[in-house]
Amino acid sequence: MLMQSMSPAAAMLASLGGVALLGALGKTPRLRDMAALLVAAVQLICVLAMLPAVMGGQTPSFTLLSFVPSVAIAFKVDALGLIFAITASALWLVTTVYAIGYLRATQSAAQTRFHVCFALTMTATMGVAFASNLLTMYLFYEAMTLATYYLVAHEGTDEAYAGGRKYVGYHLGTSIAFLLPAIILSFHLGGTFDFVPGGIFGDGAIESQRGLMIVVYVLFLAGSAKVALMPMHGWLPAAMVAPVPVSALLHAVAVVNAGAFGLLRVMFDVFGPEAMQALGLTTLTVYVASFTILAASFYALRLDSLKALLAYSTIGQLAYIVLGGALLNPNGMLGGIVHIVNHGVSKITLFLCAGAIAVAAHRKYLSEMGGVGRRMPWTMAAFVVGACSMIGFPATAGFVSKWFLLVGAYEAEQVLAMVVLVLSTLLSAGYYLRAIGVLGGTRQPTRPGDGVHGPAAHTPPLSGVRDPSRWMLWPLVFTAALTVLLGVLPEATVLALARAVPGVSAVAP
């Protein structure tokens, strides 16, 4: 039930207002850092304040601008959008704590610009999460791309600027060439930009415009570069040149989840299950997602760079979300939706650990990291938890997602999806257990030069290496603990809200 509310605006204004505050405090670093924490905390509170209404069946909404009756910049807060918003805002607060320690430890320049761009990005993220129509989502989708450019290129090196240009080129190029035409054609076929549970296309359009509707869906797939489905994935490894806090939140949670979230909106609320199945789009999406999962997993097996390994793992894990949505049955959809949260929490743990190792040991290649984990026990423990979740071990968040995905694939009689889920789990175990073995010193590191990138010729000694400062350590320990909590108590956490999404309520607790 729709209810007029300024709650979505409050969540966006919290971070947007923080931009001015952070800029004003730029010359007083300690106050600026405390303000960054305050802004992130206020946004999280604003987002969580909408939880009781959504769980009670209400949909807070408001319209910012209405050009004509069918064209507006408008927002609504439903269960799917709130899941994305809670994940992003909660992990923004955690990453802000980490970023303060990381930027101080690396003596990074332009720290004020860093926090300002983070706040702008989170404003855009909330806009995507709460968009009530395709037009609104597109505008904030593009705003997110522009706001994150300076975060990707933060280091100011030639490599950083090259990564930033590739990042923007992929996102703006595919968005303008594919996503915008898909949105315009959807309006032509359905008569509205609005997200409608079950889809906006009637039986007449499905029967008479079959070919055009398939083209429109392919355009949506091609235009959603943020989800990094192959072959639109090249930006993500290139963007790993960014500082670890950027890679952690934006390229493991906010940006990539915006792409996956957007495709779920298209499948659920633009095309809808009936059109997806009638047009054969379910099978097409399963094939694309399955190829991405396997290709990314095989490629990760040969990587030496830890951040590159995590990047390709992210590409495969995002495809799980798309795969679950494409199954279009309650269990499959539930698995895809909860993986937005479970992957985000687990993968951010791994990125934070990679950053801690880079700062403490000055290492970024596995072939340099033999035995590092023994000198950084808390970091090592958190890495093991995050890796086990990505593999899908019981009592971790990743297991919950994969269980529902596997059940959903079985119920949909998608044999390919079932095989891919099992095989990708084995491949994930291969490269993550290799990394754990190297960090723990129980197996030989990769030979120098193996993988896409080789390590530096000189490897710094391990003497003096230890767990990072509290600013960096507490966030990664917290997200590791949250990974276990989501795996042990899924019913009391993410599943309760996920079951409020239309189409998954049939799944029994």
Side-chain angles (χ1 to χ4, degrees):
M1 179 177 65
L2 289 174
M3 58 173 284
Q4 292 299 309
S5 172
M6 293 299 293
S7 298
M12 289 183 282
L13 289 173
S15 50
L16 185 60
V19 170
L21 178 61
L22 292 166
L25 296 175
K27 294 183 179 179
T28 52
R30 289 189 178 275
L31 287 179
R32 178 205 60 215
D33 291 346
M34 293 304 103
L37 291 172
L38 176 63
V39 170
V42 169
Q43 184 179 76
L44 177 59
I45 292 170
C46 290
V47 171
L48 290 175
M50 292 180 274
L51 185 58
V54 173
M55 292 297 292
Q58 296 179 318
T59 306
S61 61
F62 85 98
T63 299
L64 180 63
L65 291 172
S66 183
F67 305 103
V68 294
S70 57
V71 181
I73 299 176
F75 306 89
K76 69 177 182 180
V77 184
D78 60 9
L80 182 59
L82 194 57
I83 286 171
F84 178 29
I86 290 175
T87 303
S89 57
L91 294 180
W92 181 33
L93 178 57
V94 173
T95 307
T96 300
V97 176
Y98 182 93
I100 291 170
Y102 181 91
L103 295 174
R104 289 176 181 175
T106 58
Q107 298 180 338
S108 178
Q111 294 186 27
T112 298
R113 186 186 68 189
F114 178 94
H115 288 295
V116 165
C117 288
F118 245 120
L120 285 171
T121 301
M122 289 307 298
T123 302
T125 301
M126 294 300 107
V128 171
F130 299 142
S132 70
N133 57 57
L134 282 166
L135 176 63
T136 304
M137 187 174 73
Y138 179 80
L139 292 175
F140 282 93
Y141 202 76
E142 295 302 280
M144 179 185 292
T145 298
L146 298 176
T148 49
Y149 168 77
Y150 283 107
L151 291 170
V152 175
H154 178 80
E155 299 292 349
T157 63
D158 290 342
E159 184 184 11
Y161 284 123
R165 288 192 297 270
K166 190 170 187 177
Y167 173 83
V168 171
Y170 262 85
H171 290 304
L172 288 183
T174 58
S175 185
I176 294 171
F178 305 122
L179 184 57
L180 186 58
I183 292 172
I184 294 171
L185 288 171
S186 294
F187 181 81
H188 169 70
L189 292 169
T192 182
F193 288 116
D194 291 343
F195 294 129
V196 179
I200 64 175
F201 305 121
D203 293 338
I206 296 173
E207 294 174 1
S208 63
Q209 302 288 345
R210 183 181 183 88
L212 182 58
M213 289 185 68
I214 293 173
V215 170
V216 170
Y217 186 77
V218 172
L219 288 174
F220 272 119
L221 286 178
S224 301
K226 285 181 173 62
V227 76
L229 291 173
M230 291 185 175
M232 302 300 182
H233 68 290
W235 67 269
L236 203 155
M240 288 299 131
V241 69
V244 167
V246 176
S247 300
L249 182 65
L250 303 186
H251 303 139
V253 183
V255 170
V256 293
N257 274 350
F261 171 81
L263 274 183
L264 292 183
R265 280 287 193 215
V266 168
M267 287 188 277
F268 299 168
D269 299 339
V270 176
F271 279 80
E274 182 180 344
M276 290 285 293
Q277 293 169 350
L279 298 171
L281 301 177
T282 296
T283 301
L284 170 64
T285 310
V286 168
Y287 285 164
V288 172
S290 297
F291 172 77
T292 300
I293 291 169
L294 291 181
S297 299
F298 276 114
Y299 197 78
L301 286 172
R302 63 186 291 264
L303 293 173
D304 189 17
S305 167
L306 182 55
K307 282 185 70 176
L309 185 152
L310 297 179
Y312 275 91
S313 170
T314 294
I315 293 169
Q317 295 289 330
L318 291 172
Y320 281 145
I321 300 172
V322 178
L323 177 65
L327 293 175
L328 292 176
N329 58 35
N331 278 302
M333 293 165 66
L334 188 61
I337 292 167
V338 300
H339 204 55
I340 291 175
V341 182
N342 294 344
H343 169 256
V345 172
S346 304
K347 185 56 64 64
I348 205 170
T349 301
L350 294 169
F351 272 113
L352 298 185
C353 291
I357 293 170
V359 169
H362 306 289
R363 287 158 162 77
K364 58 181 180 178
Y365 297 104
L366 283 171
S367 52
E368 303 172 320
M369 294 181 183
V372 166
R374 295 186 179 186
R375 294 176 177 267
M376 304 176 68
W378 285 101
T379 303
M380 180 67 185
F383 187 91
V384 169
V385 170
C388 287
S389 182
M390 289 294 89
I391 295 169
F393 278 104
T396 65
F399 173 78
V400 177
S401 304
K402 289 192 175 183
W403 172 260
F404 283 108
L405 288 171
L406 191 60
V407 173
Y410 174 78
E411 292 176 345
E413 298 182 352
Q414 286 282 355
V415 177
L416 174 63
M418 295 173 64
V419 171
V420 167
L421 287 168
V422 173
L423 182 55
S424 64
T425 296
L426 296 176
L427 293 171
S428 297
Y431 57 78
Y432 275 121
L433 293 179
R434 170 173 64 95
I436 290 172
V438 170
L439 292 172
T442 59
R443 61 178 295 176
Q444 286 295 110
T446 334
R447 288 186 295 107
D450 283 359
V452 172
H453 304 291
H458 172 68
T459 301
L462 281 175
S463 56
V465 173
R466 60 181 182 273
D467 281 314
S469 69
R470 291 175 296 176
W471 284 99
M472 295 176 64
L473 184 61
W474 290 352
L476 63 88
V477 170
F478 174 79
T479 55
L482 188 56
T483 297
V484 175
L485 179 66
L486 291 170
V488 174
L489 297 174
E491 294 292 345
T493 51
V494 63
L495 289 181
L497 181 56
R499 286 200 174 95
V501 176
V504 303
S505 57
V507 180

